[in-house]
Amino acid sequence: MTKLKINNPVHSEPHCKARLNAVADALYAIGGKWKLRIIVGLMDGTKRFNELQRLIDGISAKVLSTELKELEMNGFIKRNVFASTPVTVEYELTKYADTLSSVLDTLSKWGAMHRENVKKSMKKKKPVEV
């Protein structure tokens, strides 16, 4: 079998490796089941921990706590502590999180399209009743 050679520098091995590394960096920062859901959950304003947990179906308190710490470490959210009785903690998106808006818009559109494709595919495979 011969290997297809593409002379376009955009498709060169160094470009491919750079792109793979960039995608790996992005997935490290925002990858996983919960991080983008948390970011989307905070898009309409600040929320307390329990509000976020109720909003995001299926996330445990332990996982939410870990994910919030990682998102804060990567500069996507800010944790605000208010000295009240009891202490109030709220989470909000940073300006840096705004850099994800076009990514989230595109991902949302793709997700809706993919869901429709899966539904259509399931309808085609539906067994015929006798």
Side-chain angles (χ1 to χ4, degrees):
M1 183 178 343
T2 60
K3 190 174 181 181
L4 177 64
K5 285 194 171 198
I6 300 173
N7 293 327
N8 185 342
V10 172
H11 298 289
S12 67
E13 186 174 334
H15 180 269
C16 182
K17 284 185 179 186
R19 192 168 185 187
L20 284 169
N21 287 338
V23 169
D25 291 343
L27 290 176
Y28 175 80
I30 60 170
K33 185 175 181 178
W34 304 108
K35 284 187 179 76
L36 289 177
R37 293 178 191 195
I38 294 167
I39 290 170
V40 170
L42 289 169
M43 285 184 144
D44 65 343
T46 62
K47 291 196 178 38
R48 295 176 69 178
F49 186 91
N50 287 334
E51 289 177 292
L52 276 171
Q53 191 175 10
R54 282 191 298 272
L55 181 64
I56 303 168
D57 291 333
I59 193 167
S60 70
K62 182 179 179 183
V63 170
L64 179 57
S65 177
T66 300
E67 297 290 282
L68 286 167
K69 286 174 187 169
E70 289 179 15
L71 287 167
E72 185 179 15
M73 180 186 73
N74 283 298
F76 295 110
I77 64 167
K78 182 180 176 192
R79 183 177 186 262
N80 300 309
V81 181
F82 301 98
S84 58
T85 307
V87 172
T88 303
V89 178
E90 292 182 342
Y91 298 91
E92 68 176 311
L93 294 178
T94 63
K95 292 287 183 198
Y96 185 60
D98 291 342
T99 63
L100 292 172
S101 63
S102 63
V103 172
L104 290 169
D105 289 343
T106 302
L107 191 58
S108 177
K109 288 174 187 170
W110 185 88
M113 182 222 35
H114 179 68
R115 180 181 296 269
E116 286 303 312
N117 285 343
V118 169
K119 283 181 182 177
K120 288 177 187 174
S121 175
M122 298 294 280
K123 286 180 183 176
K124 289 178 185 177
K125 294 179 182 179
K126 194 174 184 178
V128 178
E129 294 184 30
V130 184

